């Protein structure tokens, strides 16, 4: 049985690096681990020894069974259409310009595709562990809500607004309900957008039954996964982390931990005001002391933020040290999360 | 009455664009301008940086000379329909409104021109000297700038098309519109900002963007060779981090021409404080 670790959080907190680092630590000869990533920075791709990452999993040299694959959102949507739509309808959908725009138009599209991909890997049982790096949309929340949103999108609710009918068959919509109204609206809006959109939505609706079953399956996997929220001390990620807990509070998604990235040592806070001995150069002494004071005030702020998150949401917070530049080797990736204690604590 | 100046503030997520947008608006208001700040995504980022005032679709004065509003979907759709589209008399408004809502959810460009239409119409209202827009992050911001062209490809005639063309002209007019991109001097923000600038220029999506580097550390005055004199422990650890970050930021700052830098604010926590402090330091050609 495949176990799944989901790393979520706001954009810019280092989710992709942390996912790779977790994968690098979790993998073993007898525990093949796939890191399903979104869009790795050049340096991270370099650290993994990859020229280019694609949709097909690649084994990472220098690890005991770590694999990586990148999510190509548009290719995944095509795969979903091929898999779940009737061949004729699928052909029409793929050629439709509204479908082309779907990934942009439906903010959770990439998130849905990521969930679908995750589910496929779980079902093939090819890997023992899958680490999923989530798309940044909606501060990571979209990934968890995307199956329900996809279900809504295909349920025909939009069609119903458009036609005001109870959704009879394709021909009937054209003949009795939609046409006159579409003509008037198209004239006002400068058509023929509406009839094209109607065509598109009718085709999309044919996938509803399968997508609805599929969404529930994906939601099932999401509730069984170990979810880790990544954050830094910056105001936006902290805000997104709070939003994550408050919006998903009532659902079955219970994050197991917070990974607090770019965390400064708490030890700096206490020593910042101690006298300094053994530095003869007065200019250097003053500069080094002023520097430590600045960083200590930052460490204090981070520590307060971490305590508050932990107390408010009753989850352990694991610190990941601030290293710059970002890790450039597999070893340094492993060190990054190995010291945080999260691996043992979550029994990953 | 002259059009207000429109300033779009965008940037990669996590670089502090809402803070910089709020600071820009606060600074302009302090200089006696009548300023409107607009949160274009209907999120809470801008509001938090304006000390948590709850924002609505109508402008609310948040401090002397500075008002703010947030664009929500239904408010924008409603206004677009009522004041912009000029639906002919006797047309079934309720149905057209429903149709427009569906289009906004499915057709490319429609939601974007409806949202970006709001800052433009506020700029034309005569109520403001400057309209500062806390815009979506880089990728989505480009979709907004591209929207008028997409609409032009999609619909050959009609009101939507006419409005889109007007928007396109206004957004490209460098005398009345400016684009400021917030970046931090690190790998991804720098490279993604570069890509965005190239796309904006290549596709003529708007005036040449100005880059603001945020969270820039001031040089500590220490050098690498000093580290060995700092013993072991926090003093040396903090100095090492500072020097590593200085090296990193110099490297990326060299990669991207920028018009201004804003400092890293040590130990400042609330978004409201961040915006006030950045407003003290922001010094930009307006």
């Amino acid at each position: 049985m495949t176990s799944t670790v989901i790393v979520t959080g706001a954009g810019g907190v280092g989710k992709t690096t942390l996912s790779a680092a977790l994968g690098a630590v979790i993998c073993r000869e007898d525990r093949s681990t796939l890191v399903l990533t979104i869009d790795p920075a050049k340096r991270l791709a370099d650290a993994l020894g990859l020229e280019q990452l694609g949709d097909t999993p690649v084994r990472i040299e220098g690890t005991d069974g770590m694999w990586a694959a990148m999510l190509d959102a548009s290719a995944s949507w095509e795969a979903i259409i091929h898999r779940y739509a009737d061949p004729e309808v699928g052909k029409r959908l793929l050629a439709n310009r509204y479908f082309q725009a779907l990934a942009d138009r439906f903010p959770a599209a990439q998130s849905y595709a990521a969930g679908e991909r995750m589910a496929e890997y779980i079902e093939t049982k090819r890997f023992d562990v899958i680490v999923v790096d989530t798309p940044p949309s909606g501060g990571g929340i979209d990934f968890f809500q995307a199956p329900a949103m996809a279900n809504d999108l295909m349920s025909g609710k939009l069609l119903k607004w458009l036609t005001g009918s109870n959704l009879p068959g394709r021909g009937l919509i054209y003949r009795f309900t939609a046409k006159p109204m579409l003509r008037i609206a198209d004239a006002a809006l400068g058509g023929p957008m509406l009839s094209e959109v109607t065509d598109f939505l009718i085709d999309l609706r044919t996938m509803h039954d399968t997508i609805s079953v599929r969404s529930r399956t994906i939601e099932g996997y999401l509730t069984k996964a170990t979810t880790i929220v990544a954050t830094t001390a910056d105001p936006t990620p902290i805000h997104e982390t709070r939003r994550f807990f408050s919006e998903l509070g009532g659902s079955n998604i219970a994050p197991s931990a917070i990974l607090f990235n770019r965390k400064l040592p708490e030890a700096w806070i206490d020593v910042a005001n101690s006298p300094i001995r053994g530095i003869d150069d007065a200019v250097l002494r003053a500069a080094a002391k002023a520097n430590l004071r600045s960083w200590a005030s930052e460490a204090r702020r981070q520590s307060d933020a971490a305590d508050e998150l932990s107390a408010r949401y009753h989850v352990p917070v694991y610190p990941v040290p601030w290293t710059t530049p970002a890790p450039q080797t597999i070893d340094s990736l492993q060190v990054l999360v190995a010291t945080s204690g999260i691996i043992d604590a979550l029994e990953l | 009455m002259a059009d207000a100046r429109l300033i779009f503030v965008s940037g990669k997520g996590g670089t502090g664009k809402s803070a910089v947008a709020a600071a820009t608006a606060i600074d302009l208001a302090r200089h006696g301008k009548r300023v409107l700040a607009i949160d274009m995504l209907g999120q809470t980022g801008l509001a938090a940086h304006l000390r948590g005032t709850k924002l609505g679709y109508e402008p609310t004065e948040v401090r002397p000379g500075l008002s703010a509003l947030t664009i929500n979907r239904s408010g924008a759709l409603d206004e677009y329909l009522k004041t912009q589209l000029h639906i002919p008399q006797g047309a079934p408004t309720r149905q057209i409104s429903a149709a427009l809502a569906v289009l906004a959810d499915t057709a490319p460009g429609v939601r974007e021109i409806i949202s970006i239409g709001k800052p433009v119409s506020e700029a034309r209202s005569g109520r403001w000297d400057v309209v500062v827009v806390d815009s979506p992050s880089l990728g989505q911001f480009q979709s907004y700038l591209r929207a008028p062209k997409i609409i032009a490809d999609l619909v050959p005639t009609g009101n939507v098309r006419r409005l889109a063309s007007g928007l396109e002209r206004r957004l490209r007019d460098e005398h009345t519109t400016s684009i400021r991109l917030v970046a931090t001097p690190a790998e991804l923000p720098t490279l993604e900002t570069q890509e965005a600038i190239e796309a904006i220029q290549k596709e003529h999506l708007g005036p040449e963007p100005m880059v603001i580097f945020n969270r820039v550390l001031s040089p500590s005055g220490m050098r690498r060779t000093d580290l060995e004199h700092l013993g072991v422990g926090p003093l040396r650890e903090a100095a090492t981090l500072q020097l590593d970050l200085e090296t990193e930021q110099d490297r990326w700052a060299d990669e991207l021409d920028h018009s201004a830098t804003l400092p890293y604010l040590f130990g400042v926590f609330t978004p409201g404080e961040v915006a006030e402090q950045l407003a003290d330091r922001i010094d930009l050609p307006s």
Side-chain angles (χ1 to χ4, degrees):
Chain A
M1 161 121 183
T2 308
S3 52
T4 314
V5 180
I6 298 170
V7 183
T8 186
V13 299
K15 273 195 301 277
T16 307
T17 303
L18 294 172
S19 306
L22 286 168
V25 176
I26 293 168
C27 71
R28 280 196 318 242
E29 292 272 301
D30 60 346
R31 191 163 60 184
S32 62
T33 301
L34 172 71
V35 178
L36 191 58
T37 178
I38 305 301
D39 192 9
K42 172 101 181 29
R43 276 182 186 173
L44 180 65
D46 289 349
L48 297 174
L50 297 167
E51 286 277 307
Q52 225 167 6
L53 200 54
D55 208 31
T56 316
V58 181
R59 200 188 155 104
I60 307 298
E61 293 293 323
T63 64
D64 304 326
M66 174 181 172
W67 296 70
M70 196 173 102
L71 180 81
D72 176 346
S74 60
S76 297
W77 272 104
E78 283 191 36
I80 291 166
I81 297 290
H82 283 307
R83 199 161 156 175
Y84 300 115
D86 169 86
E88 273 301 303
V89 175
K91 227 195 257 165
R92 251 197 326 266
L93 274 172
L94 290 173
N96 189 299
R97 55 180 167 186
Y98 295 98
F99 177 75
Q100 312 277 345
L102 188 68
D104 271 352
R105 201 82 310 284
F106 171 49
Q110 198 190 23
S111 292
Y112 182 79
E116 172 68 30
R117 215 75 184 109
M118 175 193 78
E120 287 165 20
Y121 283 115
I122 292 173
E123 285 153 6
T124 62
K125 301 190 173 74
R126 181 176 159 195
F127 299 96
D128 299 308
V129 183
I130 303 173
V131 181
V132 187
D133 165 26
T134 57
S137 122
I141 297 174
D142 278 3
F143 180 70
F144 297 89
Q145 295 178 341
M149 289 161 88
N151 192 27
D152 274 2
L153 181 75
M154 302 197 181
S155 69
K157 208 162 67 188
L158 289 173
L159 257 186
K160 216 162 168 175
W161 286 344
L162 207 54
T163 60
S165 77
N166 289 320
L167 297 178
R170 191 183 186 90
L172 282 176
I173 288 185
Y174 277 118
R175 256 180 291 142
F176 297 119
T177 53
K179 270 285 164 138
M181 181 264 163
L182 286 185
R183 252 203 317 274
I184 298 164
D186 258 1
L189 301 171
M193 270 194 287
L194 281 169
S195 15
E196 289 182 19
V197 165
T198 311
D199 277 346
F200 170 61
L201 291 174
I202 290 170
D203 280 341
L204 205 57
R205 190 168 164 266
T206 63
M207 289 169 65
H208 178 240
D209 290 347
T210 32
I211 290 292
S212 138
V213 173
R214 193 63 184 153
S215 305
R216 276 197 293 276
T217 309
I218 297 174
E219 282 172 335
Y221 294 137
L222 292 175
T223 57
K224 277 187 220 122
T226 302
T227 301
I228 298 170
V229 184
T231 188
T232 65
D234 293 332
T236 307
I238 293 280
H239 179 80
E240 294 291 333
T241 302
R242 288 189 187 136
R243 201 161 73 91
F244 191 91
F245 280 95
S246 57
E247 286 190 20
L248 290 177
S251 73
N252 290 324
I253 313 290
S256 309
I258 293 175
L259 259 182
F260 202 113
N261 199 10
R262 293 176 211 138
K263 183 92 163 55
L264 300 167
E266 305 215 347
W268 293 5
I269 301 170
D270 298 329
V271 296
N273 293 312
S274 326
I276 294 169
R277 293 187 194 86
I279 301 173
D280 301 331
D281 180 344
V283 178
L284 175 60
R285 191 167 59 228
K289 183 160 185 170
N291 182 62
L292 177 58
R293 275 207 185 149
S294 297
W295 286 107
S297 70
E298 194 65 1
R300 152 80 61 195
R301 179 176 78 85
Q302 291 190 347
S303 162
D304 290 348
D307 288 349
E308 202 225 299
L309 286 177
S310 168
R312 190 187 286 203
Y313 303 112
H314 313 289
V315 278
V317 176
Y318 298 96
V320 176
W322 195 341
T323 51
T324 190
Q328 288 171 45
T329 61
I330 294 289
D331 286 350
S332 53
L333 272 176
Q334 287 172 334
V335 170
L336 197 65
V337 290
T339 52
S340 71
I342 192 170
I343 301 290
D344 291 340
L346 297 184
E347 293 170 5
L348 294 175
Chain B
M1 175 123 357
D3 262 16
R5 179 150 201 94
L6 253 177
I7 302 176
F8 290 93
V9 182
S10 176
K12 178 173 162 59
T15 55
K17 78 186 160 49
S18 296
V20 175
T24 306
I26 292 169
D27 180 56
L28 288 163
R30 284 181 188 165
H31 284 87
K33 302 274 194 229
R34 295 171 304 158
V35 184
L36 175 69
I38 296 183
D39 163 17
M40 209 151 118
L41 278 186
Q43 288 181 348
T44 48
L46 180 71
H49 286 91
L50 295 172
R51 301 224 171 251
T53 325
K54 189 144 173 49
L55 302 179
Y57 192 73
E58 291 304 316
T60 316
E61 184 162 62
V62 292
R63 55 193 291 154
L66 173 56
S67 298
L69 66 83
T70 180
I71 299 180
N72 59 50
R73 182 175 171 281
S74 60
L77 277 172
D78 208 37
E79 181 169 324
Y80 190 79
L81 207 63
K82 281 196 185 123
T83 66
Q84 313 249 319
L85 266 186
H86 308 296
I87 302 292
Q89 283 244 320
T93 318
R94 197 187 57 79
Q95 286 175 318
I96 291 177
S97 156
L100 187 64
V102 174
L103 278 186
D105 279 343
T106 47
V110 173
R111 183 191 301 168
E112 286 84 353
I113 55 157
I114 291 173
S115 298
I116 212 164
K118 177 69 173 170
V120 171
S121 71
E122 287 293 340
R124 284 179 180 147
S125 71
R127 295 172 69 187
W128 324 105
D129 298 316
V130 190
V131 175
V132 179
V133 188
D134 181 13
S135 315
S137 57
L138 294 173
Q140 223 184 334
F141 180 56
Q142 289 171 61
S143 320
Y144 278 78
L145 295 177
R146 268 186 210 115
K149 208 179 285 175
I150 290 173
I151 293 291
D153 291 344
L154 219 54
V155 282
T157 55
N159 282 337
V160 172
R161 167 69 187 264
R162 186 179 50 74
L163 288 165
S165 307
L167 277 179
E168 190 173 12
R169 275 193 302 279
R170 181 64 167 84
L171 293 175
R172 285 189 192 168
D173 180 0
E174 59 183 49
H175 300 291
T176 52
T177 300
S178 49
I179 297 174
R180 294 179 182 176
L181 302 182
V182 183
T184 51
E187 182 185 5
L188 282 180
T190 305
L191 296 179
E192 285 181 25
T193 305
Q194 254 169 4
E195 283 167 19
I197 293 172
E198 278 163 24
I200 289 170
Q201 289 180 330
K202 205 172 127 205
E203 299 174 44
H204 307 288
L205 297 177
E208 189 180 342
M210 172 202 247
V211 175
I212 300 173
F213 265 132
N214 190 23
R215 300 205 191 109
V216 175
L217 295 165
S218 324
S220 59
M222 296 180 292
R223 284 164 304 177
R224 294 257 163 214
T225 48
D226 291 332
L227 290 176
E228 58 184 284
H229 303 294
L230 297 179
V232 284
L235 206 59
R236 181 170 176 164
E237 290 163 15
T240 307
L241 177 66
Q242 169 77 24
L243 291 175
D244 285 349
L245 288 168
E246 282 180 26
T247 308
E248 182 77 356
Q249 78 177 20
D250 288 349
R251 173 180 171 190
W252 296 108
D254 282 348
E255 299 268 324
L256 191 58
D257 285 336
H258 50 283
S259 316
T261 59
L262 289 167
Y264 191 99
L265 297 173
F266 285 99
V268 182
F269 192 48
T270 72
E273 286 164 15
V274 170
E276 292 281 343
Q277 292 210 17
L278 292 182
D280 293 343
R281 327 272 183 105
I282 211 162
D283 185 21
L284 291 164
S286 62

